[in-house]
Amino acid sequence: MPVLHPVGPLRARVYWRRRLVVLAVLLAVLGAGAWGTVLLFRGGTDSADGAVAERAGAAPRTPALAQVVPSLSAVRTPVPPPAAQEMAAAAESAAAQTPAPAAPPEPAPGGPCTDDMLAIEVRTPGSAVVGSKPVFELVVTNASAVPCVRDLDKGLQELILLDGGGARVWGSNDCFPESGADVRTLAPGEVVVFPVTWGGLSSTPGCAAERTPPPRGDYAVRGRLDTKSSPDAPLTLT
């Protein structure tokens, strides 16, 4: 047969090589066509599936990051145990039921003037020459809203002079003590002033020590009415 036994001027193996080459090309073309058909079919199916999923309202796929990191809504806040809640509620209830501290009773009009109802103050000239005789004032004020009664006896009044270190230098009752009943009813806001002259010399209780003029410097004068004391008032000796 001429197909199996080629006839021509060339050798037979030349014709066989040509036939093998044509056969290989034909097989390659057929294989490429078949692969393209498969790809075309798969692509059409994916597109059709996507369209059907879109028309059916299917949910989109979850991104890979959302699969790894949980959403904040999924994190649960720890809830205190029931015992702790009951204790907190009991504490709030006890605090709500605790009565407020009672206000101190108002002073009765015409009663005694307690120390809380009085204001004591000392007034000084601010400065004085060493050896001079400055005048101090002990000021007593009824700071309450009602009239009250207080004994303003001279023996209950006292002024003392203190040096910069707080040491006692002079006292108004050391050498010339006075006494005598002086019970008064003080109206609300009433002010009573008692002037006291200092002789300019030091003194000790009982006036037993030698009296000398204190040196120049800064001092303080403190007043007292029985158990009620005043703030210190400054005095400078020049």
Side-chain angles (χ1 to χ4, degrees), residues 76-135:
R76 298 182 61 185
T77 303
V79 179
Q85 295 179 351
E86 292 177 0
M87 293 177 62
E92 293 180 359
S93 177
Q97 295 177 2
T98 301
E106 293 292 336
C113 298
T114 63
D115 289 349
D116 294 337
M117 300 170 67
L118 295 180
I120 307 297
E121 178 188 4
V122 172
R123 298 172 183 170
T124 72
S127 63
V129 178
V130 171
S132 64
K133 297 181 179 181
V135 177

Side-chain angles (χ1 to χ4, degrees), residues 58-208:
R61 295 180 180 179
T62 304
L65 181 60
Q67 296 177 0
V68 178
V69 182
S71 63
L72 294 179
S73 60
V75 180
R76 298 182 61 185
T77 303
V79 179
Q85 295 179 351
E86 292 177 0
M87 293 177 62
E92 293 180 359
S93 177
Q97 295 177 2
T98 301
E106 293 292 336
C113 298
T114 63
D115 289 349
D116 294 337
M117 300 170 67
L118 295 180
I120 307 297
E121 178 188 4
V122 172
R123 298 172 183 170
T124 72
S127 63
V129 178
V130 171
S132 64
K133 297 181 179 181
V135 177
F136 306 141
E137 292 180 342
L138 179 64
V139 183
V140 180
T141 304
N142 178 7
S144 71
V146 297
C148 58
V149 179
R150 184 75 179 222
D151 188 355
L152 304 180
D153 183 1
K154 288 285 187 179
L156 301 176
Q157 303 175 23
E158 184 180 26
L159 295 179
I160 60 174
L161 181 69
L162 307 171
D163 63 14
R168 190 177 189 276
V169 176
W170 165 82
S172 60
N173 293 339
D174 289 346
C175 297
F176 305 101
E178 299 183 40
S179 64
D182 188 4
V183 179
R184 302 190 191 185
T185 298
L186 303 178
E190 183 177 354
V191 179
V192 183
V193 180
F194 300 96
V196 178
T197 301
W198 175 40
L201 302 176
S202 64
S203 66
T204 58
C207 205

